[in-house]
Amino acid sequence: MRGITAVVALLVGVAPASGGELALRLEKILADPCTRTANHCMVVKSIASGKTLYSKNADRLMVPASNIKIITSAAALGILKPSFTFKTFFRHSGARSGGTIDGDLVVEGRGDPHLVSEDLWLMVNELQKRGIRRITGDLVLDDSYFDGEMFPSSWKTSPTRRAFEAPMSALALNFNSVTINVYPATSKNEKPTAAIDPQTPYITFVNNMRSSGKGGSRITIDLKPGKGGGESIALGGVVRAGSKEKTYYRSVKDPINYFGQTFIGFAKKAGITIDGRVRRGSYDKPLKEIFHHTSRPLYQQLMDMNQYSNNFMAEQLVKTIAAETAGNPGSFEKGLLKVGEYIESLGLPADRFHLADGSGLSRDNRASCSVIVGLLERLYTQWEGGPEFITSLARMGREGSVEERMVSSDRAIRVKTGTLKSVSALSGYYPLPSGDILAFAMIHNNLPCGNGDVLALQERVLTEFDTIDDGNDR
């Protein structure tokens, strides 16, 4: 096998590298001005032999950005299990007569991180199929599965309300965010159009944009409190006629009201009337169950979370872990404690990581490359949870946040990215021609260069992996 690998490598003009030669090549790459003065760690390990092929600052605690999601994913699969599902319960108070419920419709959320508009339509359709046409009382939304803390304490949210820092809630919709689509006019004499998704009574939408015939587009998004506890979104600025369509995502201020108002809007379109108002609350008295909606299993949800690095989903998982293991209400504090305990139970040292959130948005997180690679190594050999974790990672050049990276490679390189200002991380699995799999982690902090520069450097590192001679020193 070693001879075949050597021939293949020589045919493409690169000599196969032993562990020592690999180290020299990687050191040369890391001497690049982009990383020479940066704080970084890197570990490359053969899963087949267990040998560490390269190690630099392996135990140094780094800001890992979204590489923290590797830890969150491992804990979720280990604690909740791959087939875990999130349920949303529909019950009612009072009596039902024909198509009328003379009481409240009570919706209890259990933290579903991927409940989207299509799911809401299915819920409304389920009520309609069961013959329900009118609710004389209120729409009561029970979010007691989680506590009232909507953000990890270490987060520093911005006033722009980007979707990647959306608030958490046990009853959530569309990752507690809305989509704004801007469509340029064909002429400078026409007004650009815009739409919001989902269309919901919670949002009052105002379009104050105008068109121009030259220059770039400059769009402003102004979010303010709206009517009935909702929000107002006003679009302003200039859109160049004939330019490309643009899409923006913004988080909502009040997730429960957003869910409720959107639900009422969908119900109205389906011919179901709710006479009362939307209110948060729970019932001590027994209720009559109508049905419950079941989410996709956890392992499928992790594919969306990891491949697109969804912060909201990761934090929802942290609170769900807390609620399922320590009881309601689930909190960030209890969830992070349980996640940390699980990682330690795998034999990974507690002093090699520190969790401030589950997504990696907080700069107070810390993780070493040795912990990340150690976790990747253990997950690769786990019978339950291992395969599900591996397939949750994006394949470079094919999907998710790395769809446009290393598109020329025919390798199924599965990775998790991590990006914050002056921080970049890339960890995952690299298959060698020999059939061996490398577990690797590289985390860079205090970067003096731009994001594009460090991404190119990371890809140069991965290219060197193909020169490894069966993952062994010669």
Side-chain angles (χ1 to χ4, degrees):
M1 180 63 72
R2 178 178 299 167
I4 295 173
T5 305
V7 170
V8 172
L10 288 170
L11 285 174
V12 298
V14 180
S18 67
E21 292 167 345
L22 175 69
L24 291 174
R25 290 177 176 179
L26 295 183
E27 289 290 345
K28 184 176 180 180
I29 294 173
L30 293 175
D32 185 281
C34 181
T35 51
R36 185 172 57 230
T37 60
N39 182 20
H40 55 255
C41 70
M42 187 186 299
V43 173
V44 183
K45 192 170 185 178
S46 162
I47 289 180
S49 68
K51 288 184 178 180
T52 298
L53 305 179
Y54 180 77
S55 177
K56 186 177 184 68
N57 303 323
D59 294 332
R60 181 177 291 178
L61 291 175
M62 309 288 291
V63 178
S66 283
N67 266 206
I68 278 290
K69 292 185 178 76
I70 294 175
I71 291 176
T72 303
S73 300
L77 288 167
I79 296 171
L80 301 176
K81 303 306 178 186
S83 59
F84 180 86
T85 57
F86 302 83
K87 293 181 172 57
T88 304
F89 294 91
F90 284 75
R91 305 181 179 99
H92 72 86
S93 64
R96 176 178 175 179
S97 177
T100 300
I101 291 176
D102 189 15
D104 297 328
L105 176 63
V106 182
V107 184
E108 179 191 355
R110 293 285 181 90
D112 188 347
H114 199 285
L115 198 158
V116 294
S117 295
E118 291 80 1
D119 295 296
L120 207 63
W121 276 117
L122 290 173
M123 295 171 181
V124 168
N125 188 51
E126 192 65 34
L127 290 174
Q128 187 189 54
K129 287 193 301 183
R130 292 167 185 268
I132 296 172
R133 298 293 181 269
R134 182 186 177 196
I135 313 295
T136 64
D138 295 335
L139 175 60
V140 180
L141 304 179
D142 184 350
D143 64 340
S144 59
Y145 187 68
F146 290 170
D147 67 4
E149 190 177 9
M150 292 194 289
F151 304 96
S153 59
S154 60
W155 277 22
K156 296 176 176 62
T157 56
S158 67
T160 56
R161 302 254 302 278
R162 300 297 178 93
F164 63 75
E165 52 184 11
M168 268 49 71
S169 57
L171 202 52
L173 177 65
N174 294 327
F175 318 111
N176 283 341
S177 63
V178 294
T179 303
I180 303 166
N181 298 109
V182 175
Y183 305 99
T186 56
S187 157
K188 67 177 182 179
N189 299 319
E190 300 173 349
K191 186 175 182 177
T193 58
I196 189 166
D197 187 29
Q199 295 181 10
T200 169
Y202 177 80
I203 297 290
T204 302
F205 196 50
V206 182
N207 179 6
N208 294 323
M209 297 183 296
R210 59 186 178 85
S211 295
S212 70
K214 58 182 179 179
S217 298
R218 300 178 302 280
I219 299 171
T220 62
I221 303 175
D222 190 20
L223 296 93
K224 294 181 178 179
K227 298 178 181 179
E231 295 187 67
S232 170
I233 297 180
L235 298 183
V238 179
V239 181
R240 181 174 179 173
S243 59
K244 291 184 178 180
E245 299 173 1
K246 292 185 177 293
T247 302
Y248 303 90
Y249 304 94
R250 291 295 184 269
S251 63
V252 299
K253 191 87 171 178
D254 185 349
I256 301 304
N257 198 18
Y258 170 51
F259 181 98
Q261 293 292 345
T262 308
F263 183 88
I264 285 179
F266 281 20
K268 185 177 180 180
K269 290 179 181 179
I272 301 173
T273 302
I274 300 176
D275 295 346
R277 60 188 178 91
V278 175
R279 63 182 174 90
R280 175 188 275 111
S282 57
Y283 268 79
D284 294 330
K285 297 179 181 179
L287 297 168
K288 301 176 181 68
E289 183 156 347
I290 305 173
F291 72 95
H292 67 264
H293 174 81
T294 303
S295 75
R296 295 183 303 158
L298 173 64
Y299 74 89
Q300 291 184 1
Q301 300 220 23
L302 285 181
M303 293 179 70
D304 288 320
M305 184 186 92
N306 285 331
Q307 292 184 10
Y308 296 95
S309 208
N310 190 304
N311 294 339
F312 174 82
M313 296 182 73
E315 304 303 342
Q316 291 281 107
L317 286 182
V318 169
K319 283 200 159 190
T320 300
I321 288 170
E324 291 294 313
T325 59
N328 298 4
S331 68
F332 291 117
E333 182 180 4
K334 291 189 291 185
L336 292 173
L337 180 63
K338 293 295 182 182
V339 171
E341 289 175 350
Y342 178 78
I343 301 304
E344 288 180 58
S345 75
L346 298 178
L348 296 169
D351 62 352
R352 293 292 180 262
F353 67 96
H354 169 73
L355 302 176
D357 68 14
S359 64
L361 185 60
S362 173
R363 287 183 173 270
D364 292 340
N365 287 305
R366 294 291 184 272
S368 66
C369 282
S370 61
V371 156
I372 297 296
V373 167
L375 189 52
L376 290 171
E377 189 178 19
R378 286 160 175 77
L379 287 165
Y380 193 84
T381 58
Q382 274 189 359
W383 177 256
E384 183 180 37
E388 291 85 356
F389 170 77
I390 295 167
T391 54
S392 79
L393 301 179
R395 293 172 296 171
M396 295 192 76
R398 303 187 191 183
E399 60 206 2
S401 61
V402 292
E403 185 176 6
E404 302 299 324
R405 296 184 62 180
M406 291 193 75
V407 293
S408 62
S409 174
D410 61 353
R411 302 250 180 266
I413 309 165
R414 292 191 176 270
V415 297
K416 181 71 201 76
T417 58
T419 306
L420 291 171
K421 185 177 180 180
S422 301
V423 174
S424 186
L426 186 70
S427 301
Y429 301 105
Y430 191 100
L432 293 177
S434 65
D436 192 5
I437 303 294
L438 300 182
F440 69 91
M442 48 181 138
I443 305 174
H444 311 280
N445 289 181
N446 306 322
L447 287 163
C449 54
N451 191 53
D453 293 328
V454 72
L455 298 188
L457 183 143
Q458 290 169 349
E459 291 171 21
R460 286 170 59 196
V461 169
L462 295 185
T463 301
E464 289 297 331
F465 291 172
D466 242 1
T467 70
I468 294 173
D469 182 24
D470 280 356
N472 297 306
D473 286 335
R474 287 185 296 174

